[in-house]
Amino acid sequence: MTLRIGTRRSALATTQSGHIAAALTERLGVETVLVEITTDGDRSQAAGTSLVGAPSTGVFVSALRDALLAGEVDVAVHSLKDLPTYPTEGITLAAVPPREDPRDVVVARDGLTLGELPPGSKVGTGSPRRVAQIEALGLGVELHGLRGNVDTRIGRVREGVLDAVVLARAGLARLDRLEDVTEVLDPLQVLPAPGQGALAVECRSGDAATLAAVAVLDDPATRAAIHAERTVMAVLEGGCAAPIGALADLAEGEDGPELWLRAVVLTPDGGLSVRRSASAPLGDDPAGWPAAGTALGEALAAEMLADGAAELMATPDSTSHPSARSAEVHNA
């Protein structure tokens, strides 16, 4: 049995898919081969095309799913935060492996932290979520739109074009680039994107043999956390371009495992926000944890809507930063 694993062509994507391939070989003894596929997001990124005004949700996903449905690959590997929150007919999320550290990080000149950068410093990010939360910190830095792979983004700092860039720690960890990090951002300051740090392994819904094989990689704790986070985003009707952050953590409570969930929705300029947190018991059976995560996400999102979250997301963009109106770019 040889499993064909569909992956984007970027260094980060092929590294992530390589980890999945190695895990499947180790756990099942099967042969694997990576099949590189170019997505719409890759093409627009290579061309330097802005995603402003374009459908952002799923731009890095659809081509892989098309290849999967066409039988060109048996498995597709994505950064989970790239996935739309709605289901796709014929596609099943077969496994969510254990998650990398989901926090955001800063790569800055001279080893500086975000708070140490002088007012007026140029900070690059392609994420409206990061823009809004950094603006809310009131540091006086200038936020600049940024696309490209990890090397391209960090290169902007090395070249002196930017003073710092903000990336996902997970991507740098998988590329063995953590030595470039000058600060790991506390989620109390900047909550990550829903699903950040996790991988999604998808299969055709009718391919029972592959679904059963790939299921050995699934981690119930990670799946419960991402169900909670992505349910918040889905209920708030926020796509990838919405300034929404969410993070769920598994903790041991007095009566067993619990899931703690924090979420925030902001206006694009970070001037107003609704921030809530909640927890719920998971029970003793890990098979039921994802459903518990979904229920927790629904409850927290309902509280946020009651607090005015929908009105915040409908607020016209009052910033001049291009990145506040572009899609969250998921290379890092």
Side-chain angles (χ1 to χ4, degrees):
M1 179 182 185
T2 298
L3 287 177
R4 299 164 298 168
I5 300 177
T7 178
R8 290 173 54 201
R9 294 177 181 270
S10 73
L12 177 55
T14 56
T15 298
Q16 292 175 163
S17 298
H19 289 167
I20 296 299
L24 287 170
T25 298
E26 179 181 351
R27 297 286 294 274
L28 302 173
V30 299
E31 294 185 3
T32 61
V33 59
L34 296 187
V35 179
E36 296 184 359
I37 296 169
T38 301
T39 69
D40 288 342
D42 294 317
R43 281 186 283 269
S44 66
Q45 186 160 274
T49 305
S50 172
L51 294 179
V52 176
S56 59
T57 303
V59 293
F60 293 116
V61 173
S62 59
L64 286 173
R65 285 180 164 175
D66 289 345
L68 187 58
L69 290 172
E72 297 169 7
V73 297
D74 306 300
V75 173
V77 179
H78 315 275
S79 291
L80 197 142
K81 66 179 180 178
D82 287 346
L83 295 185
T85 55
Y86 50 84
T88 297
E89 186 176 358
I91 301 287
T92 295
L93 180 57
V96 180
R99 185 186 209 172
E100 270 283 356
D101 187 328
R103 293 176 294 176
D104 283 326
V105 297
V106 176
V107 177
R109 62 173 176 82
D110 305 323
L112 298 176
T113 65
L114 199 58
E116 291 169 343
L117 289 169
S121 295
K122 297 177 181 179
V123 178
T125 175
S127 159
R129 170 189 60 82
R130 290 171 181 146
V131 167
Q133 293 187 87
I134 293 171
E135 289 280 28
L137 298 176
L139 301 176
V141 296
E142 296 179 3
L143 279 301
H144 291 259
L146 182 66
R147 296 200 69 192
N149 60 31
V150 169
D151 285 333
T152 297
R153 298 193 211 184
I154 292 177
R156 297 291 184 266
V157 178
R158 302 288 181 256
E159 297 159 5
V161 176
L162 296 170
D163 296 295
V165 293
V166 184
L167 308 167
R169 185 188 183 282
L172 297 183
R174 292 183 178 120
L175 290 170
D176 293 324
R177 296 289 298 272
L178 288 178
E179 70 276 3
D180 293 314
V181 172
T182 59
E183 180 184 14
V184 179
L185 293 174
D186 191 324
L188 292 174
Q189 294 180 307
V190 179
L191 275 173
Q196 185 161 299
L199 297 180
V201 185
E202 292 187 326
C203 301
R204 286 183 296 279
S205 300
D207 187 352
T210 303
L211 284 169
V214 171
V216 302
L217 302 183
D218 195 60
D219 179 57
T222 299
R223 189 181 279 260
I226 64 98
H227 271 242
E229 296 164 12
R230 286 166 54 80
T231 297
V232 169
M233 185 166 71
V235 173
L236 293 177
E237 298 181 338
C240 291
I244 296 171
L247 179 62
D249 295 297
L250 191 70
E252 191 63 34
E254 293 182 0
D255 299 318
E258 297 179 345
L259 195 64
W260 288 82
L261 175 63
R262 293 172 282 176
V264 64
V265 58
L266 308 95
T267 52
D269 63 0
L272 298 172
S273 65
V274 172
R275 187 182 301 266
R276 301 284 295 186
S277 63
S279 65
L282 288 175
D284 296 327
D285 183 6
W289 290 1
T294 297
L296 178 60
E298 290 173 344
L300 186 64
E303 291 182 10
M304 296 177 74
L305 288 172
D307 285 346
E311 289 79 1
L312 289 192
M313 291 189 292
T315 301
D317 186 356
S318 59
T319 75
S320 59
H321 305 304
S323 52
R325 299 187 299 278
S326 63
E328 177 124 18
V329 179
H330 298 323
N331 289 76

